[in-house]
Amino acid sequence: MSTPRSADYDAIADRILAQADRLASCSEGPRDITRTFLTPAMADAHGLLSQWMRDAGMTVRCDVIGNLVGTLPADASCAAGQTPRRLLLGSHIDTVRQAGRYDGVLGVLVAIAAAAQIARTARRVSVDVIAFCEEEGVRYRAPFLGSRAIAGSFDLALLSRADDGGVTMAEAIRSFGGDPDRIDDCSYRGETLIGYVEVHIEQGPILELASEPVGLVTSIAGQRRASIRFAGAAGHAGTVPMAVRRDALVAAAEFVLATEELARETTGMVATVGTIEVAPGASNVIPGEARCSLDLRHQHDEIRDRGFAGLRETAERIAGERSLGVTWTDTDRADAVPMDAELTAMIDAAAGGGLPRLASGAGHDAMVMASLCPTSMLFVRCAGGISHNPAEAVLAGDVARALEVVVSMLHRVEEEASIG
Ligand code: HGY
Ligand code: MN
Ligand code: MN
């Protein structure tokens, strides 16, 4: 490790881990961590984070879609006569179901702690820490809602989409205190932005295998998602002969296996059917309907798109062979995104140089933010590469190193602003 670390960072890292523990209790259920878009659990998390942002010297606001934003404004005397430029830091605070405690949250907490380190110094640059309200796509089957609103690329058609309880996105935003008619107000387009930097657990094993605490991301793999509904005929489990059944779940099962086979045969591809719902849903009723999700990823968009189109044909073939109906709905698409080389090199230099580089197979708000401004990511090693799992774990020493890198970067940004 190139730079000697101040003992303070170790103490702050311990505090960050304790804060992540407290945020873990902001959950939709008492037994696990599930915190989806605009739920009371998210409001609880806002309560804690707002306080921590204020303690760090920031002013705090919630934008009209539900992103929590802490701002450390540029020092007035330094900024006289010029529009202060802004640096964005952050990550997301929504989770998957039965999540770990660091995916997303760690990046927000490190950003707040880093901002606190420069809060009492004169600043030419404003720093915003954004806790994005929705990245995983759980509640409305559409990811990146918070960052898309900030980047000015939010799809307004989503506002009428309903969650499993029939609550539309527009209603959810209103009940949280936001305003679905003013989503454009969230956008940072037109601001003088230096860039966006996101700290995130790696969610994979590369850093651990290389015995490296942190690393810089080169690019983020693209992903496509779909919802597939097989429609057959419900019937009596005891009387309908096997030869004449139109069992929707068996068709879905065949589709799941075909998906696995395609991804196993295609180097670099990963494909997941993560949800399946069966109706009517009783042990003595032949499934009349099965709806499943598909998540397909590859570092190369072309290969991913070819696989996606092929699976659609496969779903149609399976349905045809079994005399079923099939409806395929594309639910999301995000192309592969390279990180900004210059910003990444600046972070590396600020860190003392030589940080390892790695690609991200997971999606991040950084994919969306890259369309708004130069964007870079710092990954933190996580135990066994485990994520989207309650067993997610990080070392306090690695968090301290990430904090140190971000604080060094903030100082470097200031130095460059005072020269430029
Ligand atoms: O699904 C993803 O890649 C991310 O964890 N949201
Ligand atoms: Mn995640
Ligand atoms: Mn994440």
Side-chain angles (χ1 to χ4, degrees):
M1 204 142 304
S2 44
T3 327
R5 185 191 307 140
S6 131
D8 275 348
Y9 288 137
D10 289 320
I12 300 167
D14 286 340
R15 196 167 70 221
I16 288 172
L17 297 189
Q19 288 173 329
D21 290 344
R22 284 195 68 193
L23 282 172
S25 68
C26 303
S27 178
E28 287 160 41
R31 274 183 292 278
D32 60 25
I33 307 170
T34 300
R35 188 170 54 247
T36 62
F37 183 46
L38 304 187
T39 50
M42 181 156 292
D44 292 346
H46 276 199
L48 290 174
L49 287 163
S50 300
Q51 189 54 51
W52 296 335
M53 285 173 167
R54 278 190 214 101
D55 293 346
M58 287 181 262
T59 56
V60 183
R61 68 185 169 89
C62 182
D63 72 9
V64 296
I65 195 167
N67 295 309
L68 190 72
V69 183
T71 297
L72 209 53
D75 179 85
S77 59
C78 289
Q82 59 179 136
T83 314
R85 296 196 302 156
R86 198 174 289 277
L87 179 73
L88 310 179
L89 304 174
S91 192
H92 61 99
I93 56 164
D94 67 311
T95 71
V96 292
R97 296 195 195 286
Q98 298 176 6
R101 57 192 58 202
Y102 302 111
D103 176 3
V105 161
L106 183 70
V108 177
L109 295 175
V110 169
I112 295 172
Q117 293 299 301
I118 60 158
R120 286 189 187 81
T121 59
R123 287 180 309 277
R124 286 176 171 77
V125 172
S126 292
V127 177
D128 278 10
V129 175
I130 308 174
F132 292 107
C133 56
E134 211 293 341
E135 188 265 1
E136 301 284 10
V138 173
R139 185 167 176 188
Y140 287 98
R141 298 189 172 86
F144 308 121
L145 300 178
S147 45
R148 281 180 175 153
I150 295 256
S153 55
F154 183 86
D155 177 6
L156 294 174
L158 289 172
L159 291 169
S160 55
R161 189 177 283 187
D163 67 6
D164 289 342
V167 179
T168 67
M169 194 184 294
E171 286 162 355
I173 290 171
R174 265 193 209 98
S175 352
F176 200 78
D179 186 347
D181 299 325
R182 294 195 297 121
I183 297 292
D184 282 355
D185 291 2
C186 303
S187 171
Y188 277 63
R189 293 225 172 255
E191 292 250 358
T192 330
L193 298 174
I194 294 167
Y196 169 71
V197 178
E198 179 168 353
V199 173
H200 203 286
I201 56 168
E202 182 202 332
Q203 306 181 281
I206 309 291
L207 290 172
E208 192 173 68
L209 289 171
S211 300
E212 295 278 1
V214 297
L216 288 162
V217 175
T218 49
S219 66
I220 303 174
Q223 51 180 273
R224 291 191 71 168
R225 299 188 193 185
S227 171
I228 303 111
R229 178 176 168 272
F230 292 96
H236 197 292
T239 60
V240 183
M242 295 308 287
V244 297
R245 291 187 179 202
R246 294 169 57 230
D247 184 327
L249 180 57
V250 180
E254 205 178 325
F255 177 75
V256 173
L257 291 175
T259 299
E260 188 199 33
E261 192 182 340
L262 173 76
R264 277 179 181 268
E265 283 172 355
T266 313
T267 308
M269 181 178 283
V270 283
T272 307
V273 175
T275 68
I276 190 154
E277 288 142 38
V278 180
S283 60
N284 60 349
V285 180
I286 298 162
E289 185 182 320
R291 186 165 68 144
C292 62
S293 59
L294 171 68
D295 177 312
L296 185 75
R297 308 184 190 204
H298 198 280
Q299 293 287 343
H300 297 293
D301 295 335
E302 223 181 271
I303 299 175
R304 180 206 58 198
D305 286 350
R306 221 179 303 132
F308 196 73
L311 283 177
R312 183 171 184 157
E313 282 168 19
T314 301
E316 280 158 7
R317 177 187 54 76
I318 293 169
E321 286 170 2
R322 293 178 171 277
S323 304
L324 304 181
V326 63
T327 316
W328 178 288
T329 312
D330 288 1
T331 50
D332 198 64
R333 177 194 179 122
D335 286 346
V337 177
M339 295 292 91
D340 184 78
E342 213 174 304
L343 181 58
T344 303
M346 187 274 273
I347 298 170
D348 193 29
L355 290 187
R357 309 278 171 123
L358 67 167
S360 174
H364 299 286
D365 291 303
M367 303 177 84
V368 174
M369 296 299 281
S371 69
L372 177 70
C373 59
T375 291
S376 190
M377 286 194 80
L378 182 74
F379 271 175
V380 180
R381 166 170 61 184
C382 63
I386 295 168
S387 185
H388 285 187
N389 184 311
E392 260 174 21
V394 289
L395 295 171
D398 294 356
V399 174
R401 175 63 177 147
L403 176 64
E404 180 184 44
V405 171
V406 177
V407 173
S408 303
M409 175 200 69
L410 290 173
H411 288 309
R412 179 68 65 111
V413 166
E414 262 308 316
E415 276 162 33
E416 289 182 1
S418 64
I419 299 163

